[in-house]
Amino acid sequence: FFFFLICMRLVKLMRKNNTPKTFYTLSRFFLFFGAVFTAIFYNQNVTGYLYNNLFTTLFKILIYIFTFIWGYLSLKRFTSKNMPSFTFYNAVLFNTLCFSVAISTHNLLMLFLGLSLGFWTGINLIKMEKEPYELNGNGVYSAFSFLFILAFACGVGIFYYYTKQCAFSHVLSHL
């Protein structure tokens, strides 16, 4: 997905006439390849931190299907309002990447990284609909995101303090 986000940025920079359908088509293409690669490499250990099994593969495929449906419904809205859609599809694909990492991880630090980045980038989705003078929702969302990230970091720190590792298997064996 990281490669796909770079491709979307290049299309935005190099193509003069970007319509809402442009980025929907790219995201649909990327979601399809993400689902195919997830299905093909479902029983693989990636970098020692990420591991896909049948359950993680199922949840990832469900996330890709949900994201595809969400993107299709959003396309109708962007087209009817003639709004730019790059920020939306970029944030949605980045969140899909973050949740995919969070689902496949076997390490508390990677779970923290995936979820915190995913929640923090949700601010872009809120900013899209707000006028500049209506930023109260962003402040509330940012405050709750920061509190969640802080509480989660404290929890990971406590587990690490007592177990000296962040691997799920090691943490669970010490409980």
Side-chain angles (χ1 to χ4, degrees), residues 28-102:
R28 183 177 61 179
F29 180 70
F30 300 152
L31 286 169
F32 173 75
F33 275 113
V36 167
F37 286 132
T38 297
I40 291 172
F41 300 112
Y42 79 92
N43 202 16
Q44 301 294 317
N45 186 358
V46 181
T47 70
Y49 294 109
L50 304 175
Y51 182 75
N52 290 322
N53 58 24
L54 292 175
F55 294 111
T56 58
T57 301
L58 173 68
F59 287 124
K60 281 184 176 183
I61 297 295
L62 289 174
I63 286 174
Y64 297 147
I65 290 170
F66 174 74
T67 305
F68 178 78
I69 293 168
W70 187 19
Y72 176 74
L73 295 174
S74 299
L75 170 67
K76 297 299 182 187
R77 187 166 183 278
F78 286 125
T79 304
S80 68
K81 290 189 171 191
N82 199 20
M83 293 173 54
S85 63
F86 172 75
T87 304
F88 173 78
Y89 287 111
N90 197 25
V92 166
L93 284 180
F94 188 76
N95 278 329
T96 304
L97 170 68
C98 290
F99 288 130
S100 294
V101 167

Side-chain angles (χ1 to χ4, degrees), residues 89-147:
Y89 287 111
N90 197 25
V92 166
L93 284 180
F94 188 76
N95 278 329
T96 304
L97 170 68
C98 290
F99 288 130
S100 294
V101 167
I103 287 172
S104 296
T105 189
H106 283 262
N107 189 305
L108 283 172
L109 289 177
M110 290 296 290
L111 179 68
F112 172 75
L113 179 71
L115 289 179
S116 61
L117 286 176
F119 287 129
W120 199 255
T121 58
I123 294 170
N124 290 332
L125 297 175
I126 294 173
K127 284 182 183 178
M128 287 180 55
E129 285 296 316
K130 300 287 184 180
E131 296 296 327
Y133 58 86
E134 294 181 339
L135 295 179
N136 292 338
N138 291 347
V140 171
Y141 183 84
S142 297
F144 278 114
S145 293
F146 180 74
L147 287 175

Side-chain angles (χ1 to χ4, degrees), residues 143-157:
F144 278 114
S145 293
F146 180 74
L147 287 175
F148 169 78
I149 291 168
L150 185 64
F152 200 174
C154 288
V156 170

